[in-house]
Each structure stands twice: as structure tokens, then as C-alpha cells.
């Protein structure tokens, strides 16, 4: 296989990985908009929908980065910083006593491991200047 064939396979694999990983924020964001947190009332309910909308937007912008993924380094890095900061805040919450459930652990894995790894992979696809 030539170098161009290898890079095309890597690009396609990254695109598929971004598409699959993007399912998480899109589905979670939509879920949060239409199935708000139990016990939330009034402005809490509204704020939860807003935050879910932000999560949905993050997933959609990741998906919008799939075509031409090798040229989306700046966008993907900004999104990754946003996601990692959210993950650090979630981890801080666990350290402060929030329960560490399976959904929380999964979210932490996506925010602090999967997303940075995808960002690193994308940066390896970017043309060298």
C-alpha cells in the first residue's frame, strides 16, 4: 500500500470514528432537551435544556467537521478544549461528592480520554506546513 493509500485509510477511519463518537453528544443533548432531569423545576428545567442544547451543538459541529477532516484542526481543537473543560468540572464534582455512576464514568471517559485522542488523531491527518 502506498503512503497516499495509507493516509486515505487513516482519514476514512478517523471520519468513521468521529461519526460514531458524535452520536454520544447528539443523542445525550437531544435526550436532555426532551427528557429533562427528574426533580428539576422552573429555571432549573430551562437551564438543563439550554445546557443540553449546547451538548447537542458540540456533537453537530463535530459531525460538520467530518468532510475535509484533515483541514478542521482549529475547530476540532476548540471543541476539544470545551469538552475537556467540561470533563474536568464533572471530575471535580465527583471529587466533591457527586455520585460516580456508570453514566458519569462513561461521560468522563468520553470527555477526558476519547475526545482528546480523536483530536490528536485528527492533528496527525492535518497537512504539514
Amino acid at each position: 500500500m502506498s503512503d497516499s493509500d495509507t493516509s486515505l485509510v487513516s482519514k476514512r477511519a478517523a471520519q468513521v470514528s468521529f461519526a460514531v463518537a458524535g452520536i454520544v453528544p447528539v443523542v445525550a443533548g437531544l435526550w436532555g432537551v426532551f427528557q429533562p432531569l427528574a426533580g428539576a423545576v422552573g429555571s432549573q428545567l430551562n437551564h438543563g435544556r439550554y445546557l443540553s442544547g449546547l451538548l447537542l451543538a458540540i456533537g453537530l459541529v463535530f459531525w460538520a467537521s467530518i468532510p475535509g477532516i484533515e483541514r478542521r484542526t482549529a475547530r476540532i481543537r476548540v471543541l476539544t478544549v470545551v469538552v475537556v473543560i467540561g470533563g474536568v468540572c464533572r471530575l471535580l464534582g465527583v471529587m466533591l461528592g457527586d455520585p460516580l455512576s456508570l453514566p458519569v464514568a462513561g461521560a468522563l471517559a468520553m470527555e477526558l480520554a476519547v475526545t482528546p485522542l480523536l483530536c490528536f488523531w485528527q492533528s496527525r491527518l492535518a497537512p504539514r506546513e
Side-chain angles (χ1 to χ4, degrees):
M1 208 182 310
S2 71
D3 284 345
S4 64
D5 290 340
T6 302
S7 66
L8 182 60
V9 169
S10 183
K11 175 183 172 179
R12 294 287 181 246
Q15 288 173 314
V16 168
S17 298
F18 270 75
V20 171
I23 292 169
V24 174
V26 169
V27 169
L30 285 170
W31 183 265
V33 169
F34 294 106
Q35 296 293 322
L37 294 174
V41 294
S43 63
Q44 293 173 335
L45 195 60
N46 186 266
H47 190 63
R49 290 185 202 277
Y50 169 77
L51 294 174
S52 294
L54 292 179
L55 183 58
L56 171 62
I58 288 168
L60 293 174
V61 176
F62 268 119
W63 276 353
S65 303
I66 293 171
I69 195 168
E70 71 280 3
R71 297 183 313 275
R72 307 289 185 243
T73 303
R75 177 190 300 176
I76 290 170
R77 285 181 179 168
V78 168
L79 288 169
T80 299
V81 167
V82 168
V83 169
V84 168
I85 289 171
V88 168
C89 292
R90 185 187 306 273
L91 181 60
L92 178 61
V94 169
M95 293 168 57
L96 292 172
D98 294 352
L100 179 61
S101 62
L102 187 57
V104 170
L108 284 168
M110 284 295 295
E111 295 156 354
L112 301 178
V114 173
T115 302
L117 287 171
L118 287 172
C119 182
F120 177 73
W121 187 1
Q122 185 284 330
S123 71
R124 306 280 296 160
L125 299 173
R128 305 287 177 236
E129 294 180 23

